[in-house]
Amino acid sequence: MKTKILIVDDEQDIQDVLRFVLEDAGYEVESTGRGDEALALAKAHQPDLVILDIGLPGLSGLDLCPLLVDLSIPVIVLSSHDRDDQIIEGLEVGAEDYVSKPFNLKELLLRIEKIIRRTRGGEAAQLITIGSLVVDLRRQQLFIDGVEINLTPTEYKIIEILAKHAHTPVSSETLLQQVWNADEWIQGTEMVKVNISRLRKKIEADPANPRYLLNRWGYGYLLTNS
Amino acid sequence: MKTKILIVDDEQDIQDVLRFVLEDAGYEVESTGRGDEALALAKAHQPDLVILDIGLPGLSGLDLCPLLVDLSIPVIVLSSHDRDDQIIEGLEVGAEDYVSKPFNLKELLLRIEKIIRRTRGGEAAQLITIGSLVVDLRRQQLFIDGVEINLTPTEYKIIEILAKHAHTPVSSETLLQQVWNADEWIQGTEMVKVNISRLRKKIEADPANPRYLLNRWGYGYLLTNS
DNA sequence: TTGAATTGTTACGATTTTGTAACTTGCGCC
DNA sequence: GGCGCAAGTTACAAAATCGTAACAATTCAA
């Protein structure tokens, strides 16, 4: 899959240059000059990285940046002037990196690559290991002692969330929100219970005395191994 | 635990300034001007971050950087001149970030924080330690001498509140409010009494002569160890 | 269209926690 | 010491939570 980059800059020249260079470097490029459109595009197309000019007309780059960070999309901020306080604003606002215009294209490319490598990381970030449990986030699979366990999509989502909070309990409410996108659902807790039970049948040697998938009374569940 | 930073720069002035600023910001700082010594220090003391001048005499910063990266220690590269090719070299060599001299101190601090947050990300355990008692706020667990104590939700809430006010008494009324959200409840004091009793059975060796969970006559309770 | 896999619902027993009451103990003060 | 009140203990009933089975609905692919 090609890496998608979204360029947000009101200067058409910059857009064109960046697009040319980035496409040449093998990236898939989208671009816009408007802040509000940028947010919509980011939400719709889920780019791997946004290059954002801080001096946008309309919805300012400084306002836009935290919104993008919330979507967990890394941002490189461009500023028109090489002023220290703009650098600082850019970093404070949650940007992954900062480049000031006029910029060296090779430097920009290197910084892009660094961020891409880090975020979609060299498979280290893709595997979560908890004792003899291994969750492969990329393939969406669970292994126990190297043996693949066949999970339904719902079951996998639960495991993934619990694995991301390894050894620490996750509340049933959080599970409901993250797995079913349900903030309030009368039957919700039932659903959690049932699926936990189904999961244990698959991953526990003795489902009645679970070793991995434990309950915290009155709170929720946790994935552990000790 | 304090975050450790290793400064590698042959200019004594820079070393001094950085040490002063970073220590003021709450970091533990070591510094050296020699590249070979830097590597030894990094191996011995496992700093969380290295600030590395690229223009070192002897073992060059450019050579040193990949070695540090191999130890999976993040590096911020400093360069004496604002030359594009040095930036690029710094990034190519695996540095996490690049700052050129003369640098803005606030910017440097922000870049440091960003890297620290990213590398030791998320897992910062919130622990309150009172003698041999340890309250893990994230896992909602209590440990005594490293042994996990099984608490009910109510019991844990009480411990958490008392732990947050370690060594100072908390009134029964405050407990009622914080644990049961009850401003006035006739039977409230009974509830506090009973739960304190239940707690002591779990955490005290001799519940009749408590060592940790003490009473302040006519007022409330406190958690201590002396 | 059929059938298997998945998901959602309901019910119920087992277990654990919580609230209440009765009673005992212990502190502080006269 | 004796009194009053706060604190501690115990036992029991009520309530909440948990685990599981059985069954209905939905989805998806053959």
Side-chain angles (χ1 to χ4, degrees), chain A residues 158 172 175-176 180 187-200 213 215 221:
Chain A
I158 294 174
S172 303
L175 284 174
L176 256 181
W180 287 274
Q187 298 287 15
T189 54
E190 297 302 310
M191 210 57 246
V192 176
K193 283 193 313 188
V194 171
N195 276 282
I196 291 289
S197 175
R198 286 170 178 160
L199 261 169
R200 289 213 260 239
L213 185 40
N215 169 254
Y221 297 87

Side-chain angles (χ1 to χ4, degrees), chain B residues 20-39:
Chain B
F20 179 81
V21 173
L22 293 179
E23 283 182 345
D24 188 54
Y27 296 109
E28 193 180 325
V29 179
E30 286 177 305
S31 58
T32 175
R34 298 165 39 103
D36 46 355
E37 198 175 287
L39 192 58

Side-chain angles (χ1 to χ4, degrees), chain A residues 75 85-86 92-93 213 218:
Chain A
V75 176
D85 48 344
Q86 274 208 345
E92 270 177 348
V93 98
L213 185 40

Side-chain angles (χ1 to χ4, degrees), chain A residues 75-203:
Chain A
V75 176
I76 290 183
V77 164
L78 294 180
S79 103
S80 310
H81 314 288
D82 190 7
R83 287 178 44 212
D84 278 341
D85 48 344
Q86 274 208 345
I87 297 185
I88 289 163
E89 277 176 353
L91 285 168
E92 270 177 348
V93 98
E96 276 291 320
D97 209 340
Y98 175 91
V99 176
S100 63
K101 297 185 197 172
F103 46 81
N104 177 295
L105 279 173
K106 193 172 174 202
E107 179 194 345
L108 181 62
L109 278 176
L110 280 168
R111 287 188 187 265
I112 288 172
E113 269 173 34
K114 178 169 273 295
I115 289 174
I116 296 293
R117 259 204 313 275
R118 183 163 59 222
T119 51
R120 64 165 44 177
E123 77 239 38
Q126 303 284 12
L127 292 181
I128 300 176
T129 305
I130 304 170
S132 48
L133 286 179
V134 177
V135 181
D136 187 326
L137 297 181
R138 180 182 295 221
R139 300 180 180 214
Q140 313 224 111
Q141 281 178 344
L142 169 69
F143 298 87
I144 299 181
D145 294 321
V147 182
E148 183 186 342
I149 309 291
N150 205 333
L151 297 183
T152 72
T154 315
E155 286 161 2
Y156 173 76
K157 270 188 218 163
I158 294 174
I159 285 291
E160 178 174 321
I161 291 164
L162 293 176
K164 282 180 176 168
H165 300 83
H167 308 296
T168 79
V170 179
S171 76
S172 303
E173 288 75 34
T174 305
L175 284 174
L176 256 181
Q177 266 182 263
Q178 310 251 350
V179 178
W180 287 274
N181 307 334
D183 278 324
E184 32 188 326
W185 181 19
I186 317 294
Q187 298 287 15
T189 54
E190 297 302 310
M191 210 57 246
V192 176
K193 283 193 313 188
V194 171
N195 276 282
I196 291 289
S197 175
R198 286 170 178 160
L199 261 169
R200 289 213 260 239
K201 274 190 201 163
K202 293 191 179 178
I203 70 175

Side-chain angles (χ1 to χ4, degrees), chain B residues 42-63:
Chain B
K43 279 184 183 165
H45 292 69
Q46 297 277 352
D48 302 284
L49 175 71
V50 175
I51 298 177
L52 175 65
D53 190 332
I54 219 168
L56 276 182
L59 181 57
S60 143
L62 279 180
D63 303 328

